[in-house]
């Protein structure tokens, strides 16, 4: 079934109002489009957990700290709508910029602490942009549940924090990372990797898995990260921005595994920034 494409918040509100009046649970899957199987797994989870599902597609300018990254970000609306057909979602919300940031828009949602590290330290303003747009999408859709991938683990924790802090009453559901057969985490940015570079891409996840094994065997993060960085660079990556062992809840840096924790990494491959994380 082709889902209705909704482009204004007033249309969306009217639709959601009738659903909620009938006591139906509304779920939202926020995306920036260029949908892949990772996104579709979030849609499937939302369909299983909610009566009504809205997928949002909005390439949010406020979360890009680099203008050429925003310009090059893949935009594939028709293809996305086709991919959603088999899920029979109830609405695809594709707002224009004026629906999200009308003239005079002057507010920013900023989550302290969690955003000082990892991607936050390397992409100034990125998480303010994410937190602001997610708050807008939550309030515009009035969803009770929202589905995010663990692939963007820091983003997931930031969204959980803001939802709790601002009493948005949205149950934020984290879903497992979906990978290509060779281990590369699915991401819209993978479309930007050249064929020549693509064969090198699995080295990031391989080095992380090896480091996780080393940590489980009693090694320290500092010593193992040095080896893993060398392996990633030797495979053809240009730079490893970070490769850290951190606690799930507050993202504090760890030297040895402790409670729920994970390895998180960001690395550049031929002009494309890839991120990944795995539980230890
Ligand atoms: O993960 C994404 O695609 C984006 O950061 C999100 C959550 C849709 C906000 O623009």
């Amino acid at each position: 079934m082709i889902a209705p494409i909704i482009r204004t918040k007033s249309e969306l509100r009217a639709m959601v109002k009738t659903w909620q009046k009938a006591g139906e649970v509304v779920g939202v899957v926020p995306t920036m489009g260029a949908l892949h199987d990772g996104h579709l797994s979030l849609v499937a989870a939302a369909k299983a957990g909610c009566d009504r599902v809205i997928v949002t597609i909005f390439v949010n300018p406020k979360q890009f700290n680099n203008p050429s990254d925003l310009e090059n970000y893949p935009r594939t609306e028709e293809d996305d709508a086709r991919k959603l057909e088999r899920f029979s979602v109830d609405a695809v919300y594709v707002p224009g910029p004026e629906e999200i940031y009308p003239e005079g828009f002057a507010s920013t949602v900023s989550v302290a602490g969690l955003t000082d590290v990892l991607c936050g330290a390397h992409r100034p303003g990125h998480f303010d942009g994410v937190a602001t747009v997610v708050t807008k999408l939550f309030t515009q859709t009035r969803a009770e549940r929202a589905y995010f991938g663990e692939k963007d683990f820091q983003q997931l924790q930031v969204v959980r924090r803001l939802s709790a802090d601002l009493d948005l009453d949205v149950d934020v559901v984290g879903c497992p990372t979906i990978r290509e057969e060779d281990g590369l985490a699915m991401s819209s940015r993978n479309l930007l990797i050249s064929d020549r570079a693509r064969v090198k891409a699995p080295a990031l996840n391989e080095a992380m898995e090896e480091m996780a094994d080393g940590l489980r065997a009693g090694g320290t993060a500092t010593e193992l990260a040095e080896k893993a960085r060398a392996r990633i660079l030797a495979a053809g990556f240009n730079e490893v921005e970070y490769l850290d062992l951190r606690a799930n809840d507050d993202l504090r840096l760890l030297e040895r595994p402790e409670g729920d924790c994970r390895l998180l990494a960001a690395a550049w491959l031929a002009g494309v920034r890839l991120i990944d994380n795995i539980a230890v």
Side-chain angles (χ1 to χ4, degrees):
M1 187 188 83
I2 300 176
I5 308 255
I6 307 293
R7 297 197 188 267
T8 64
K9 67 179 170 220
S10 50
E11 267 178 282
L12 181 75
R13 285 261 167 89
M15 221 169 174
V16 172
K17 219 172 174 177
T18 40
W19 298 338
Q20 290 184 331
K21 230 175 165 175
E24 295 176 318
V25 173
V26 178
V28 65
V29 181
T31 82
M32 296 204 296
L35 302 182
H36 49 68
D37 285 352
H39 294 116
L40 300 180
S41 74
L42 305 181
V43 176
K47 284 290 294 181
C50 309
D51 301 309
R52 298 284 182 173
V53 173
I54 305 166
V55 175
T56 71
I57 299 180
F58 178 66
V59 181
N60 173 32
K62 284 196 189 293
Q63 70 186 76
F64 286 82
N65 53 314
N66 174 341
S68 69
D69 192 20
L70 172 60
E71 205 173 297
N72 294 334
Y73 201 84
R75 289 160 172 88
T76 57
E77 188 184 311
E78 267 181 37
D79 207 34
D80 292 342
R82 236 184 332 257
K83 286 182 183 164
L84 291 170
E85 269 175 33
R86 71 185 156 101
F87 294 93
S88 305
V89 298
D90 298 278
V92 183
Y93 180 46
V94 191
E98 66 292 345
E99 292 295 311
I100 303 289
Y101 304 121
E103 214 178 309
F105 186 85
S107 303
T108 299
V109 178
S110 195
V111 177
L114 284 174
T115 60
D116 294 342
V117 297
L118 303 169
C119 290
H122 292 270
R123 301 185 65 190
H126 168 68
F127 283 116
D128 282 2
V130 170
T132 304
V133 81
V134 166
T135 305
K136 294 277 309 197
L137 293 170
F138 282 5
T139 51
Q140 290 190 356
T141 60
R142 309 257 157 105
E144 286 147 78
R145 291 195 190 130
Y147 294 77
F148 290 83
E150 284 184 350
K151 147 91 181 5
D152 296 293
F153 191 78
Q154 187 175 15
Q155 169 173 280
L156 173 63
Q157 298 304 67
V158 167
V159 171
R160 283 187 167 136
R161 183 77 265 156
L162 80 85
S163 178
D165 287 356
L166 303 180
D167 297 323
L168 297 181
D169 281 337
V170 180
D171 178 14
V172 178
V173 182
C175 301
T177 302
I178 305 295
R179 296 181 182 277
E180 303 288 355
E181 268 179 25
D182 62 9
L184 177 67
M186 287 194 188
S187 162
S188 304
R189 281 173 208 278
N190 294 356
L191 291 175
L192 305 174
I193 309 175
S194 68
D195 290 347
R196 248 180 102 198
R198 176 64 187 81
V199 291
K200 303 171 184 168
L204 178 62
N205 182 249
E206 283 161 15
M208 292 172 75
E209 289 291 355
E210 189 180 70
M211 179 166 169
D213 286 343
L215 288 164
R216 290 182 199 111
T220 63
T222 309
E223 157 218 343
L224 291 162
E226 203 176 309
K227 281 193 202 140
R229 278 174 178 268
R231 180 174 172 181
I232 295 163
L233 295 174
F237 277 74
N238 312 95
E239 187 194 340
V240 180
E241 261 183 14
Y242 61 78
L243 175 52
D244 291 354
L245 175 67
R246 290 189 178 262
N248 279 7
D249 54 357
D250 58 1
L251 301 181
R252 72 185 178 284
L253 196 60
L254 300 173
E255 190 55 7
R256 293 181 190 280
E258 182 187 307
D260 286 336
C261 60
R262 59 187 56 228
L263 278 178
L264 302 106
W268 286 88
L269 174 64
V272 183
R273 185 174 183 275
L274 301 178
I275 61 170
D276 199 352
N277 69 86
I278 56 173
V280 175

